[in-house]
Every structure is written in C-alpha cells, then in structure tokens.
Amino acid sequence: MKNENFYRVFIKLALPLICQQFLNVALNLADNLMIGRLGETAIASVGFANKYYMVFNITLFGAFSGCSIFMAQFYGKKDYAILRKIFAVMIMLAVFFFSIFSFLGYFFPAFIIRIFSDDPEVIRIGSEYLKIISLSYPMTAVSMAVIMSIRSMGKTVQPLAISFVAVMINVVLNYILINGKMGAPVLGVNGSAYATLIARILEICMYILLIYKRGYYLRGKLKTYFGLSKGIIMSMIRISTPVLLTEIIWVCGTATLTIAYAKSGTEQVASVQIGELLLNFSTIVFMGIANASSVIIGQAIGAGNHQRAMEMSRKIMRIAFVFSIICACFLEIIAKPGLVFYTLKPEVLRMTVLVIRVLGVAVFFKMLNWTILIGILRAGGDTKVAFILDTVFLIFFAVPVAFIGTMVLKLPVYQVVALANIEEIIKFGFAFWRYKSRKWMHDLTSIVKH
C-alpha cells in the first residue's frame, strides 16, 4: 500500500475513533466539572463508583477485544458468514457480565465503595450513585458489543454519530438534573446517574435501529447466529482469554493503585482523580490509533499479507511517537490552566498540578505501550505475550511501590504516582523488543477451519 493510500485509510478509520473517544472524555469532564462544584467529597464519591464501572467496562472491552480480533481477520479474508456467529458470542458475553456487575452494583453498593474509602459520607454518596448507575450496565454492554463488531469491519462513522447524540443528551440532562433546572428537582450527584441511565437507553435504541437498517453482516435469521465449530470456539477461547485476563488484572491493578493513593487522604486522592481525567483527554488520540491499528493490521494478516502488515505497523509506530510527544507537552502546558473550573482548596490545587506534571512525563511511554500492545500485538493474535507485559510489571512493581510510598515512606501523592509509573518505562523496553522480533504475527483464519 502506498504511503498516501495508507495514511488516507488510517485517518478515515482513526479520526472517527478519536472523535468518539473525545466525546466520552468530554462527557466525563463535563460530569466531573458539574459534580466538582459540589466539593471534594462528591468528586471522590463519584470517582470511586466510576472505578467499579471502569472494572465493568474494561472487562467487556477485554472479552469483546478477543472476539473482534477474529472479526477483523475474517473480514480481511472476506469470510463474512462467520461474523454473525462471532457477534452472537459477544452478545452472550454481554449478558453474562452485565448480569453480574448490575446485581452487585445495585444490591451491594456500600460494600463496593467501602473497598476504596472508609469515609462515611463518601460511602453514602457513592452508594446512592452506584445503585442508580448500575441499572445502565445492560445497555452499556450490548452497545459496546455492537460498536466493536462494526469497528472491526472498518466502519467507524456511524458509531460516532450515535455517540455524539447520546453524549449531548447526557450532558444536557446532567445540567438539568444535577442543578434542578427547567422545573426538575435538585438531585445533585444522583442527577448525573439518572442522566446517564436515560442516555444509555436511548443509545441502545439507536444501535438496534442501525443494525436493522444497515445490517453490517450482523442481521439475519436466528439460526445463522449459531453453529460455530469446536475448532473456532477453542481458538477463540485460547486467544480471547489472555485479553480478558489482561483487562481484568489491569483494571484491578489500577483500582488497587487508587486504594494506595487513597491512603494519603481524600483530598490527595481527589488530586489523582482529576489528574487522571486530564490524562484521559491527552490520550484520546491513542485509543484511536490503537483501535485503527488493530483493524488495519488484523485485516492485512487475515488476507495473508504479513509483509504489508509489518510495513503498516512501522508507519503506525512513527505516528505514535510523534503524538506521544505532543500529548506529553499538552499535559505539561495544561497542568494549571486546566483546573480553573474546579473549586479546590489551595493545597489540593497545588498537589493536583504536581500530579498532572508527573503524568505528563509518564504519558509518553504509556501511549507507546498502548500502540504496541493493544494496537499491534493483539491484532496479530499475540495475546499471551501482551498479557504478560501488561500485567507483570503492574502487579509486581507499580502496586507494591505505591503502597510502600504511601504507607511506609509517607511520600506526597505526586511522588508516589511518579514511582508507580516507572513501570511504563520498563514495560516499553520489552514491548518494543517483541514488536521488532516479528513473532507477534499469527494468521488466525488459517489456524481455525469451519
């Protein structure tokens, strides 16, 4: 593929994905700003409840990512009949996971919030919020299954349009229900949860209508959704399990890091949560790059063209390097101006600025790791190695260092964040070595027969 053709295809895929990620982060920021005016306790309460949602979201992403690896490669091979069957597996996974997370979130919200904090007011506010927001999990799970299925075929514009509508609805309802505008009662933190629930219901309705109108190889008679051979199912389990475990362990590890940071106090952990929110703003580009890379490289490998897959991966790494520098500079520049909308005590403000500056350094390596591990290695079916690299350094380095820093050394939280993020530098060395070895390319369509 010529350079101009590659970049045209890449931008066509990546730009809508970047915009969709931007919408999600913008929603979180708007939500955070509105709740932020209610004080540090409200920020921490919702932040802890959202950590539970993050576990749910990442679990879905891990389960669906394994399936979408197969979808991209079979789509590249032009074997369209199997796509509907893989989609059925994704829907069954969605039902399984939302049943568990919704049940726990609705009936045991206080227990979940208490994992992160022992502050009674944080537990009370966070529990009320989590109980409401857990009702939106079924819609979230099915919507994600549809999004990732369509995305694996290189269709990114339609999900972007639906996300835009859903986010706008969510933001408007946030404003109305949190603050009691247009005759609505003042619901505070709970208003944000109700707004999300309503927006998710409308979003899933739009996706159902999209599949009904466009098809995307996902619409068909009931019997066409079943009949995967044992070989395909076993291969999907073999490839998907490391991805699912990676995401579960990663999100549990990051949640454990939050627990470690919380040992420094509610105000200091609020600084980290605000910093991580701004970090998400700087990393939206890389979610687009990683997901677009996964589609392009996966389809090339499925088509049997390994040399083209390697050539495209080199171009993707060059793009990732440039944007890693841009994202790092962005965080350093926005560290203080980005906090003008928050109502924070002077000490909390100072600590938050320091946390953001630390994350500005870490983001360079973090983004390169995402590109290699999520965008390239997974697309090639090299999920076991990606699993090892994504989890070992987090569990055996970052988490212990964070607890030592807060509980033994009694360091300020920004220094603890700096020490924990050294794992990204170590991880990058091993990830780049694996990428250069070319051992990550596996044609899954030749392994399984149906």
Side-chain angles (χ1 to χ4, degrees), residues 397-414:
F397 181 86
V399 169
V401 162
F403 275 102
I404 291 171
T406 54
M407 300 181 69
V408 179
L409 302 178
K410 307 294 183 181
L411 297 174
V413 74
Y414 78 93

Side-chain angles (χ1 to χ4, degrees), residues 195-262:
T196 300
L197 175 59
I198 295 169
R200 291 298 187 189
I201 292 171
L202 295 175
E203 182 183 45
I204 189 61
C205 291
M206 288 186 280
Y207 276 119
I208 291 172
L209 182 61
L210 178 66
I211 297 299
Y212 177 76
K213 292 288 187 180
R214 297 291 183 90
Y216 296 119
Y217 304 106
L218 303 180
R219 188 187 67 199
K221 295 181 179 180
L222 184 62
K223 65 180 181 181
T224 63
Y225 290 93
F226 304 99
L228 276 179
S229 69
K230 183 179 179 181
I232 292 178
I233 293 173
M234 295 307 296
S235 294
M236 287 182 65
I237 292 173
R238 180 173 57 83
I239 296 297
S240 301
T241 299
V243 180
L244 177 59
L245 291 176
T246 297
E247 301 301 335
I248 293 174
I249 293 174
W250 181 83
V251 78
C252 289
T254 55
T256 305
L257 285 176
T258 300
I259 295 172
Y261 299 147

